Amino acid sequence: MVVLHRSTIALNPGFLIVNTLPGMLLFALFFRRALWKLSRLIETLAERKETTALEVFMTLRRALIAGMCMSVAVSSIQTADFLMNDLAPWTWRYTWFPQDGASHLVFLLSLVGM
Protein backbone atom coordinates (compact mmCIF):
# COMPACT_ATOMS: atom_id res chain seq x y z
CA MET A 1 0.00 0.00 0.00
CA VAL A 2 1.51 3.28 -1.04
CA VAL A 3 0.86 5.78 1.69
CA LEU A 4 3.18 8.59 0.70
CA HIS A 5 2.51 11.48 -1.61
CA ARG A 6 4.31 14.77 -1.31
CA SER A 7 2.53 17.81 -2.61
CA THR A 8 2.39 21.53 -2.10
CA ILE A 9 -0.23 21.04 0.61
CA ALA A 10 1.44 20.18 3.89
CA LEU A 11 -0.68 17.73 5.87
CA ASN A 12 -0.07 16.86 9.47
CA PRO A 13 1.96 13.60 9.68
CA GLY A 14 -0.24 12.37 12.53
CA PHE A 15 -3.32 12.85 10.38
CA LEU A 16 -1.76 10.88 7.53
CA ILE A 17 -0.76 8.01 9.81
CA VAL A 18 -4.23 7.82 11.40
CA ASN A 19 -5.80 7.69 7.93
CA THR A 20 -3.46 4.98 6.61
CA LEU A 21 -3.43 2.77 9.71
CA PRO A 22 -6.81 1.10 8.98
CA GLY A 23 -5.60 0.12 5.51
CA MET A 24 -2.41 -1.35 6.93
CA LEU A 25 -4.39 -3.35 9.48
CA LEU A 26 -6.77 -4.58 6.79
CA PHE A 27 -3.86 -5.82 4.69
CA ALA A 28 -2.32 -7.48 7.74
CA LEU A 29 -5.58 -9.34 8.38
CA PHE A 30 -5.73 -10.35 4.72
CA PHE A 31 -2.21 -11.77 4.84
CA ARG A 32 -2.94 -13.62 8.08
CA ARG A 33 -6.10 -15.17 6.67
CA ALA A 34 -4.45 -16.11 3.38
CA LEU A 35 -1.46 -17.69 5.12
CA TRP A 36 -3.73 -19.62 7.49
CA LYS A 37 -5.83 -21.02 4.63
CA LEU A 38 -2.70 -21.79 2.62
CA SER A 39 -1.14 -23.66 5.55
CA ARG A 40 -4.26 -25.78 5.93
CA LEU A 41 -4.21 -26.58 2.22
CA ILE A 42 -0.53 -27.53 2.40
CA GLU A 43 -1.26 -29.89 5.30
CA THR A 44 -4.05 -31.53 3.29
CA LEU A 45 -1.81 -31.93 0.26
CA ALA A 46 0.95 -33.42 2.41
CA GLU A 47 -1.50 -35.99 3.82
CA ARG A 48 -2.62 -36.93 0.31
CA LYS A 49 1.04 -37.08 -0.83
CA GLU A 50 0.46 -34.80 -3.83
CA THR A 51 4.04 -33.63 -4.23
CA THR A 52 3.67 -31.48 -7.36
CA ALA A 53 0.81 -29.39 -5.98
CA LEU A 54 2.54 -29.27 -2.60
CA GLU A 55 5.68 -27.74 -4.13
CA VAL A 56 3.63 -25.12 -5.97
CA PHE A 57 1.74 -24.05 -2.85
CA MET A 58 4.92 -24.05 -0.74
CA THR A 59 6.47 -21.64 -3.27
CA LEU A 60 3.31 -19.55 -3.18
CA ARG A 61 3.47 -19.40 0.61
CA ARG A 62 7.12 -18.29 0.51
CA ALA A 63 6.29 -15.58 -2.02
CA LEU A 64 3.37 -14.38 0.12
CA ILE A 65 5.56 -14.22 3.23
CA ALA A 66 8.27 -12.34 1.32
CA GLY A 67 5.67 -9.90 0.00
CA MET A 68 4.35 -9.34 3.50
CA CYS A 69 7.85 -8.66 4.84
CA MET A 70 8.58 -6.24 2.00
CA SER A 71 5.26 -4.50 2.57
CA VAL A 72 6.06 -4.00 6.24
CA ALA A 73 9.49 -2.63 5.32
CA VAL A 74 8.04 -0.20 2.76
CA SER A 75 5.33 0.97 5.17
CA SER A 76 7.97 1.53 7.84
CA ILE A 77 10.12 3.57 5.46
CA GLN A 78 7.13 5.64 4.39
CA THR A 79 6.01 6.20 7.98
CA ALA A 80 9.50 7.31 8.95
CA ASP A 81 9.48 9.65 5.97
CA PHE A 82 6.15 11.10 7.18
CA LEU A 83 7.60 11.86 10.56
CA MET A 84 10.61 13.68 9.14
CA ASN A 85 9.42 17.24 8.77
CA ASP A 86 12.77 18.72 7.89
CA LEU A 87 13.23 18.77 4.14
CA ALA A 88 16.89 19.57 3.84
CA PRO A 89 18.28 20.33 0.36
CA TRP A 90 19.96 16.92 0.16
CA THR A 91 16.69 14.97 0.66
CA TRP A 92 15.96 14.92 -3.07
CA ARG A 93 18.56 12.16 -3.34
CA TYR A 94 16.43 9.63 -1.46
CA THR A 95 12.83 10.86 -1.68
CA TRP A 96 12.17 8.88 -4.86
CA PHE A 97 12.54 5.62 -2.96
CA PRO A 98 9.65 5.97 -0.47
CA GLN A 99 7.47 7.57 -3.14
CA ASP A 100 7.96 5.34 -6.15
CA GLY A 101 10.84 2.92 -5.82
CA ALA A 102 9.72 0.93 -2.78
CA SER A 103 6.28 0.02 -4.08
CA HIS A 104 7.66 -0.83 -7.52
CA LEU A 105 10.33 -3.01 -5.91
CA VAL A 106 7.72 -4.90 -3.89
CA PHE A 107 5.67 -5.52 -7.03
CA LEU A 108 8.72 -6.67 -9.00
CA LEU A 109 9.97 -9.03 -6.33
CA SER A 110 6.49 -10.48 -5.78
CA LEU A 111 6.14 -11.03 -9.51
CA VAL A 112 9.53 -12.73 -9.73
CA GLY A 113 8.68 -14.85 -6.68
CA MET A 114 5.49 -16.11 -8.31
Side-chain angles (χ1 to χ4, degrees), residues 73-90:
V74 168
S75 296
S76 299
I77 290 170
Q78 291 175 343
T79 302
D81 195 44
F82 276 154
L83 298 176
M84 294 176 64
N85 289 329
D86 58 340
L87 293 176
W90 56 269

Side-chain angles (χ1 to χ4, degrees), residues 17-73:
I17 290 174
V18 166
N19 282 318
T20 57
L21 191 61
M24 289 181 193
L25 292 175
L26 182 67
F27 282 123
L29 290 174
F30 167 74
F31 275 117
R32 183 180 181 273
R33 172 94 171 154
L35 285 173
W36 180 67
K37 288 286 191 179
L38 198 56
S39 294
R40 290 185 57 191
L41 179 62
I42 287 172
E43 289 173 6
T44 304
L45 291 173
E47 290 172 1
R48 293 181 187 171
K49 300 195 186 313
E50 296 182 21
T51 57
T52 306
L54 183 63
E55 290 175 10
V56 169
F57 284 108
M58 293 280 284
T59 303
L60 179 63
R61 183 173 66 177
R62 279 188 230 118
L64 194 59
I65 290 171
M68 182 178 62
C69 292
M70 288 184 287
S71 177
V72 167

